[in-house]
Amino acid sequence: MRQTAWLTFGLFALIALWDFSGLDLIMARWFGSPTGFALRDHWLWSTVLHTGARRVAWVLQLLLLIAIWWPFGVLRRIGRSERAGIFLSAMLILLVISSFKSFNTNSCPWDLAEFGGHARYVSHWNWGIDDGGAGRCFPAGHASAAFCFLPGYVWLRKGAPRQARVWLIATLVAAMTIGLAQQIRGAHYFSHTLWTGWISWVVASLVHHAWTLRRQLRRPVERTNNPNAIDSPGGTQRW
């Protein structure tokens, strides 16, 4: 847990440095102009990597749900409890990101007057300050459709480290691809994607820690109630 905590704080510091560097607006200007974002409705960035990616994510979530009872692939390496933990953590990540968005007043790049909108630039750290736009742009909701699979890495890294790394790389590539697509369209700043990843990591790590702690507390009680019981491998099939 200590190593995870240091990694979490290190990532926070790096993303905060990006946040305060002013690079968000610089990147937005790469793709935007006073007339807006030319690629906002392009079929690749809008249809494939926006609408299509979201649909694929929901199909994968359905497969994770099914895998709780009928595992496949690397998910066979962990027990039912862990598989349930992955799915529930993913759902919680989506809920947390959605909740943040519903209360945030930060508007998207395409809402800025600089890019043909009506809003003025206000950092997403300035909660409650109306920038004159639609708001509800922070953090990046579509990137969470990929980042919500981070719990798979957290749960697999002990029992299947090689497969866990592949899972992590695939998740990060998908999330950054979606985030870049939204950046090109003017729907988000790059920091929105980075913070979505950080929040997703925190949620996944906290749930995993709580899940593990719960099981550790249950084992002495189970052994006391049934001293002749033999644990299943990893004790993972019990809820």
Side-chain angles (χ1 to χ4, degrees):
M1 185 61 184
R2 181 177 299 177
Q3 183 178 4
T4 300
W6 279 112
L7 176 60
T8 302
F9 285 119
L11 291 173
F12 180 93
L14 290 175
I15 300 172
L17 285 175
W18 171 278
D19 227 9
F20 292 110
S21 68
L23 290 173
D24 268 347
L25 271 177
I26 293 175
M27 283 193 69
R29 289 168 183 152
W30 290 354
F31 309 103
S33 69
T35 58
F37 288 81
L39 298 176
R40 176 172 178 170
D41 297 315
H42 188 276
W43 67 270
L44 175 60
W45 313 114
S46 179
T47 304
V48 177
L49 293 175
H50 181 255
T51 306
R54 180 173 55 189
R55 291 173 179 171
V56 170
W58 281 115
V59 170
L60 294 176
Q61 287 291 358
L62 178 59
L63 292 177
L64 278 183
L65 176 61
I66 294 172
I68 296 176
W69 295 277
W70 298 285
F72 54 87
V74 69
L75 294 174
R76 295 193 185 100
R77 302 282 295 272
I78 57 178
R80 182 179 297 172
S81 178
E82 281 81 358
R83 296 193 297 269
I86 292 175
F87 175 75
L88 294 176
S89 295
M91 292 294 101
L92 183 58
I93 286 171
L94 295 175
L95 178 61
V96 169
I97 296 299
S98 178
S99 298
F100 268 111
K101 286 178 66 70
S102 66
F103 291 105
N104 189 263
T105 56
N106 188 241
S107 295
C108 303
W110 59 34
D111 290 321
L112 294 188
E114 180 177 348
F115 304 117
H118 303 285
R120 59 190 176 89
Y121 177 77
V122 175
S123 170
H124 45 255
W125 289 103
N126 295 321
W127 287 75
I129 298 180
D130 187 358
D131 60 14
R136 298 186 179 182
C137 194
F138 174 82
H142 275 78
S144 69
F147 278 125
C148 71
F149 293 99
L150 278 176
Y153 166 74
V154 175
W155 256 273
L156 288 168
R157 60 184 172 178
K158 184 176 181 180
R162 181 179 299 177
Q163 292 88 341
R165 287 192 292 271
V166 173
W167 187 298
L168 175 63
I169 292 171
T171 298
L172 294 179
V173 169
M176 289 303 175
T177 300
I178 295 173
L180 177 61
Q182 292 295 81
Q183 172 84 49
I184 291 172
R185 297 180 65 237
H188 284 290
Y189 299 106
F190 190 61
S191 65
H192 291 188
T193 298
L194 296 178
W195 284 117
T196 297
W198 186 83
I199 294 169
S200 301
W201 168 258
V202 170
V203 172
S205 299
L206 288 177
V207 174
H208 178 261
H209 179 67
W211 212 271
T212 303
L213 183 62
R214 169 180 171 270
R215 291 204 38 212
Q216 291 173 346
L217 294 175
R218 285 184 59 187
R219 283 177 182 172
V221 175
E222 291 174 350
R223 291 196 181 101
T224 300
N225 293 337
N226 187 7
N228 296 320
I230 300 177
D231 290 341
S232 59
T236 58
Q237 297 300 330
R238 299 181 181 178
W239 287 79

